[in-house]
Amino acid sequence: MENNILKFTMKDLQQESTQKLIKLNDESINYGLILNEKEIEGIMKNTNETLKRIGRIETSTNTLEKIIELVYSSPYTDKDNYIENINDMQEVFYYFKSQVLDLLSDDEVIDILKEVYDDKKGEIFQIQGFIEEYATKFKLGGSF
């Protein structure tokens, strides 16, 4: 019985999260970008896999919402790379948070990623290189 209640609760949470993310289409449509329910479910699955692999937990979609906004609002995102860039940027986000030992807030990390995403024209390998360099300097007490 308890297992059925947990499954029901998790399903409700997933549906609520999906609806919150679909609501982002109200803004992203201004950039010609829209996510459907199946794409959002795939993104959320990728989020869960990323969190598991990196060893982190997340209790809301707030971070994912900010990452999606970061990606869709950039001139370097188009229909062909939208979902891939969301998935890549959330992996970069959680990796970066771990590398700076959670000493930067989510919003600080998002602000850095937004600037780097645009500066590097959405090129994930260049973004990852910058994040590696930034994290190393951060851990050594340097400034950027």
Side-chain angles (χ1 to χ4, degrees):
M1 177 77 165
E2 286 180 32
N3 197 15
N4 288 339
I5 292 171
L6 182 59
K7 284 181 184 177
F8 180 75
T9 303
M10 293 302 290
K11 187 174 184 174
D12 283 348
L13 287 173
Q14 184 169 358
Q15 287 176 335
E16 181 181 321
S17 296
T18 299
Q19 291 308 310
K20 282 178 74 176
L21 296 175
I22 284 176
K23 187 87 172 116
L24 293 175
N25 286 333
D26 293 347
E27 281 297 314
S28 68
I29 196 167
N30 296 323
Y31 299 87
L33 301 167
I34 296 177
L35 295 170
N36 64 41
E37 197 167 320
K38 185 175 181 178
E39 291 167 331
I40 288 171
E41 288 172 8
I43 290 167
M44 289 174 30
K45 181 180 179 188
N46 184 73
T47 301
N48 290 332
E49 291 169 359
T50 297
L51 291 168
K52 190 178 205 179
R53 186 175 58 255
I54 293 177
R56 299 186 65 88
I57 60 169
E58 190 68 63
T59 58
S60 75
T61 59
N62 293 343
T63 299
L64 181 54
E65 290 173 57
K66 291 174 183 179
I67 291 168
I68 291 172
E69 183 179 340
L70 174 160
V71 172
Y72 77 62
S73 65
S74 173
Y76 303 104
T77 302
D78 59 38
K79 291 176 187 175
D80 295 332
N81 66 12
Y82 188 34
I83 295 169
E84 181 180 358
N85 286 4
I86 291 169
N87 288 330
D88 288 346
M89 289 306 292
Q90 67 179 329
E91 287 183 33
V92 168
F93 173 87
Y94 291 116
Y95 175 78
F96 191 27
K97 283 287 289 183
S98 293
Q99 291 301 303
V100 296
L101 312 171
D102 288 304
L103 295 172
L104 296 176
S105 72
D106 288 359
D107 287 340
E108 289 172 313
V109 171
I110 292 289
D111 289 345
I112 291 166
L113 291 179
K114 172 77 174 142
E115 186 176 324
V116 173
Y117 187 90
D118 287 342
D119 184 55
K120 304 296 183 188
K121 298 177 175 45
E123 294 292 329
I124 192 65
F125 294 116
Q126 290 185 27
I127 295 166
Q128 290 169 330
F130 175 87
I131 294 308
E132 287 291 337
E133 186 179 336
Y134 188 104
T136 300
K137 286 184 179 183
F138 184 87
K139 287 188 239 181
L140 295 173
S143 60
F144 237 81

